[in-house]
Amino acid sequence: MNIHEALKVLTPDDIRVLQAIEKYLKQYEFVPIEVLERTTRLPPHRLERSLYKLNSLKLIRRQSAATLGYRLTILAYDVLAVLSLMKRGVIEALGDKLGVGKESDVYLGIAPGGKKLAVKFHRVGRTSFRHVVRHRTYKVEDSWLLQSKVSAQREFAALRELYEVGAKVPKPIDRSRHVVVTELIEGAVELSEKPALNDPLKAFGDVIETIAKAYNDVGIVHGDLSEYNIIVIPETSEAYVIDWPQYVEKDHPSAEKLLRRDVEYVVRFFKKVYGVPAETEEVLRAIKGE
Ligand code: ATP
Ligand code: MN
Ligand code: MN
Ligand code: MN
């Protein structure tokens, strides 16, 4: 079962049940059946049927320990987000997967009217092999769904401010839950692929300008900048900085160290691959206007 298949087989009853479980995401790890009876107000046989179906489709998980209860799976959270974005008229269709990152899946989206979108599903905890301690009482921090939502909120807020001050980032469009929608930068490839560029200095300048605008006009540092989080359009040598959820505020104790590291990686890559003659300390001074 994937997002596309799930969207096709869900009935209004199923969606109502998923939404009811989601409503208690912060209160319960597993939402008790009685709460769902109350919240959905579905007749017992219809609720039963829906829970059985959702469980076999792996959209929910059942806990049949002391009390019978249910929680959403990541797939269900994906589906709820996509349904909301469709209802709001942001996405008309969800396309193929464009990329799998360490902390996200990025899909192609189509807006009503045909414009192409990047639909980024945040996945906090996917690469974390840290054993999750089972707490006696459920805490919000235990939920990877809620952590993924926080990550998406951070990224969306940062993108809005960055776009506002004219930084080269994909235009943010909307967010639902753990999903961020931006414009798709068409024809862009990751800088890590080392595409041939007519004007590598232009691409380098775009990146440094974005770091400077983030620092001076928004007051943040990217914190995970490298050739993997820069996309370029080879035809025009335009470069965009993507992947912002881990940004830190300028007054964060690690901000200066992260800024230097971000600049160092960019300078080193452009020097090595495109022969751009730049020097980290000098670029840092320029960014800070010193
Ligand atoms: P990481 O593994 O570095 O943490 P991530 O999972 O956080 O990555 P992103 O870096 O934001 O995710 O995006 C993953 C990939 O999807 C990018 O490297 C890029 O190829 C593609 N991508 C993301 N946003 C866009 C966009 N707006 N336009 C075009 N391609 C995009
Ligand atoms: Mn990363
Ligand atoms: Mn990335
Ligand atoms: Mn990332």
Side-chain angles (χ1 to χ4, degrees):
M1 179 73 31
N2 60 36
I3 304 172
H4 297 96
E5 289 162 2
L7 285 168
K8 276 186 223 147
V9 299
L10 294 182
T11 64
D13 274 10
D14 300 332
I15 293 165
R16 199 147 129 194
V17 173
L18 292 178
Q19 285 168 341
I21 301 174
E22 182 188 27
K23 196 172 163 197
Y24 296 95
L25 204 52
K26 285 190 184 166
Q27 282 97 307
Y28 298 102
E29 183 172 13
F30 289 90
V31 183
I33 183 83
E34 303 81 48
V35 174
L36 295 178
E37 281 164 3
R38 243 192 297 123
T39 311
T40 62
R41 298 196 202 177
L42 286 171
H45 71 282
R46 275 168 62 188
L47 178 60
E48 282 298 319
R49 195 200 304 154
S50 192
L51 286 169
Y52 180 83
K53 172 181 166 187
L54 293 168
N55 191 56
S56 19
L57 294 177
K58 293 194 160 49
L59 284 154
I60 58 174
R61 289 252 186 282
R62 175 191 288 133
Q63 185 193 47
S64 37
T67 54
L68 179 61
Y70 297 88
R71 70 166 174 81
L72 299 180
T73 62
I74 291 166
L75 177 60
Y77 209 44
D78 290 353
V79 166
L80 288 172
V82 171
L83 283 171
S84 288
L85 291 164
M86 286 179 160
K87 206 167 154 191
R88 285 182 214 158
V90 171
I91 302 180
E92 189 164 83
L94 189 69
D96 293 335
K97 211 182 266 190
L98 295 176
V100 179
K102 288 188 297 293
E103 302 131 330
S104 78
D105 292 319
V106 180
Y107 282 76
L108 170 68
I110 308 291
K115 271 198 79 176
K116 288 185 181 169
L117 308 167
V119 185
K120 178 172 176 178
F121 294 78
H122 284 243
R123 311 264 188 239
V124 172
R126 169 150 75 190
T127 53
S128 162
F129 293 95
R130 177 174 50 96
H131 184 71
V132 180
V133 184
R134 286 276 134 218
H135 295 279
R136 275 191 156 276
T137 51
Y138 170 64
K139 284 190 272 167
V140 167
E141 309 89 87
D142 298 343
S143 166
W144 282 344
L145 299 186
L146 288 168
Q147 287 183 53
S148 298
K149 177 181 168 181
V150 168
S151 172
Q153 284 171 323
R154 279 178 62 82
E155 179 161 52
F156 189 65
L159 285 174
R160 284 230 276 214
E161 294 197 50
L162 288 159
Y163 190 76
E164 185 98 348
V165 300
K168 297 274 268 181
V169 297
K171 182 185 182 184
I173 296 177
D174 203 357
R175 177 194 64 83
S176 172
R177 301 170 176 85
H178 62 317
V179 179
V180 172
V181 181
T182 62
E183 66 171 331
L184 182 83
I185 307 300
E186 278 198 75
V189 298
E190 260 180 41
L191 186 62
S192 63
E193 290 178 30
K194 306 178 185 175
L197 297 176
N198 289 326
D199 193 353
L201 255 179
K202 153 82 175 139
F204 180 71
D206 280 355
V207 176
I208 300 305
E209 203 181 301
T210 294
I211 297 174
K213 281 182 169 152
Y215 189 77
N216 295 309
D217 302 343
V218 180
I220 63 173
V221 173
H222 185 287
D224 188 24
L225 200 48
S226 72
E227 60 273 26
Y228 298 98
N229 284 329
I230 296 168
I231 55 178
V232 287
I233 305 176
E235 287 71 34
T236 58
S237 300
E238 279 175 282
Y240 294 79
V241 178
I242 60 166
D243 199 5
W244 289 85
Q246 71 290 315
Y247 79 82
V248 297
E249 304 279 347
K250 183 174 189 174
D251 57 11
H252 186 280
S254 309
E256 294 303 310
K257 200 187 81 202
L258 289 168
L259 177 67
R260 173 170 275 105
R261 199 186 67 181
D262 282 356
V263 170
E264 229 163 43
Y265 283 171
V266 173
V267 164
R268 200 201 302 155
F269 189 84
F270 273 93
K271 187 176 283 175
K272 191 181 72 189
V273 178
Y274 299 104
V276 170
E279 200 258 305
T280 300
E281 295 309 320
E282 197 182 326
V283 172
L284 273 172
R285 280 197 296 274
I287 288 170
K288 296 182 170 188
E290 284 165 1

